Amino acid sequence: MQIIRVKNYEELSKKAAKILASIITLNPEAVLGLATGSTPVGAYQELIRLHREEGLDFSSISTVNLDEYLGLDGSHDQSYRYFMNQQLFDHVNIHIEQTFVPSGVSSDSQAACTEYDARIEDFCGTDVQVLGIGGNGHIGFNEPADHFIRETHIVDLAEDTREANARFFSSIEEVPTQAITMGMGGIFSSQKILLLASGKGKAQAIKDTVLGPITPQVPASLLQLHPDVILIADEDALSLL
Ligand code: PGA
C-alpha cells in the first residue's frame, strides 16, 4: 500500500482528483468505481472544475458505484443515485445511462445483486475504485462481520454507521436499516484502489487497516492484499500510525 500524506482535506481532494483525471485522460473509456459519503465530495468538485476549465472529457467514461440504501429510489434526496447526480454527473459531460448505482428499490433484491456483479464482470472490473472508510473500518457498506463477502449483497447497517449517517437525515429513525453493497470481489476487481481518509474520526480505522491483522471485523484490512492501493490521508487520519 502506498501512503500519500497530505496536510488537509483540500490537498487530499486535489491529489485524488489528479489521479482520477490522469486515468480518464490516459483511457477515455475507463470504468470508474465511485463512492458516496462526504470524503470524495471535494475530489468530485475538483473533477468538475477540470471538466469546465480544462476540458476533462467524460463522454466515454462509465461508472459503477459501491452501494445504495435499501428502500430509497433515485429521486430521494438521501439516495446515493441522487447524491452522485448532484455531486458529479449533472456537472460533467458523462452519459447518465453509463453510470450505475445499485438499485435500492428492486422487487427482487437478490436478482439486483446478481445483475450488479454481472455488470461489473461485463466491464472486466473497474480501472480504479474510490473508497472512503467508515469509523468502524467498513468499505462500501461491507460492515464488520464474521467473514468477508465476495458478491454484491444486502446488508444490515451497523448501528454506528446509521448514527454516523443520521446527520444527513432529519432523524436517526429515517436512516434506512439495510443497504445493497458491492462485495469484496467487486472492489478487488479494480486495477487500482484509491482509499481516502480525512479527520481524527478515521485514525483508528486507518491504523487497523494498514497495520492490523487482516480480519472481517475491519473490512478495509483486506486491502492489504490488493496489489495497487493508494491511501491518501490527512495528518489527522494518519495520527495513530
Ligand atoms: P464519509 O463516509 O466519507 O461520509 O466519512 C465514509 C464511509 O462511511 O464509508
Side-chain angles (χ1 to χ4, degrees):
M1 189 179 300
Q2 184 189 342
I3 301 178
I4 300 179
R5 173 187 289 262
V6 293
K7 276 206 185 56
N8 53 34
Y9 180 71
E10 193 188 346
E11 205 186 319
L12 176 151
S13 301
K14 291 221 159 96
K15 278 255 173 356
K18 200 167 178 182
I19 292 170
L20 292 168
S22 62
I23 290 169
I24 292 169
T25 305
L26 287 170
N27 178 7
E29 297 183 358
V31 182
L32 311 180
L34 298 180
T36 52
S38 39
T39 310
V41 167
Y44 296 157
Q45 283 169 358
E46 177 65 5
L47 286 176
I48 293 167
R49 189 193 69 74
L50 289 170
H51 167 68
R52 288 191 177 143
E53 295 177 14
E54 298 179 23
L56 185 65
D57 181 16
F58 288 78
S59 62
S60 299
I61 292 295
S62 303
T63 67
V64 183
N65 259 79
L66 285 168
D67 46 16
E68 179 60 282
Y69 287 118
L70 218 62
L72 302 192
D73 78 14
S75 62
H76 190 290
D77 65 3
Q78 290 310 322
S79 74
Y80 287 164
R81 159 55 74 183
Y82 189 93
F83 175 102
M84 288 310 303
N85 290 353
Q86 293 277 312
Q87 298 295 335
L88 181 63
F89 301 151
D90 286 351
H91 310 285
V92 296
N93 64 332
I94 199 162
H95 292 291
I96 201 75
E97 64 278 8
Q98 282 305 113
T99 68
F100 299 95
V101 179
S103 170
V105 291
S106 171
S107 55
D108 184 344
S109 42
Q110 190 45 53
C113 292
T114 309
E115 276 167 29
Y116 208 67
D117 282 334
R119 170 91 53 209
I120 296 167
E121 212 174 307
D122 280 351
F123 280 132
C124 300
T126 54
D127 291 283
V128 61
Q129 176 66 60
V130 177
L131 294 177
I133 185 168
N136 64 2
H138 75 202
I139 47 177
F141 273 137
N142 291 274
E143 298 284 25
D146 292 337
H147 55 279
F148 293 111
I149 301 179
R150 174 188 295 268
E151 295 82 14
T152 296
H153 58 280
I154 306 299
V155 62
D156 293 332
L157 294 176
E159 246 351 89
D160 42 9
T161 296
R162 293 185 67 238
E163 279 161 25
N165 291 1
R167 66 192 195 275
F168 302 115
F169 293 81
S170 29
S171 70
I172 186 154
E173 287 74 36
E174 284 184 24
V175 183
T177 54
Q178 289 187 305
I180 175 170
T181 184
M182 195 188 283
M184 291 299 184
I187 293 171
F188 266 65
S189 78
S190 194
Q191 300 279 326
K192 181 186 280 300
I193 288 180
L194 214 49
L195 174 62
L196 310 178
S198 171
K200 280 222 181 324
K202 302 297 170 67
Q204 186 64 48
I206 287 298
K207 181 183 178 194
D208 294 342
T209 296
V210 177
L211 298 178
I214 297 171
T215 163
Q217 293 299 329
V218 182
S221 64
L222 195 65
L223 297 174
Q224 291 176 28
L225 298 181
H226 190 284
D228 187 356
V229 178
I230 301 178
L231 164 62
I232 308 179
D234 62 18
E235 288 170 5
D236 282 345
L238 292 174
S239 58
L240 295 180
L241 279 194

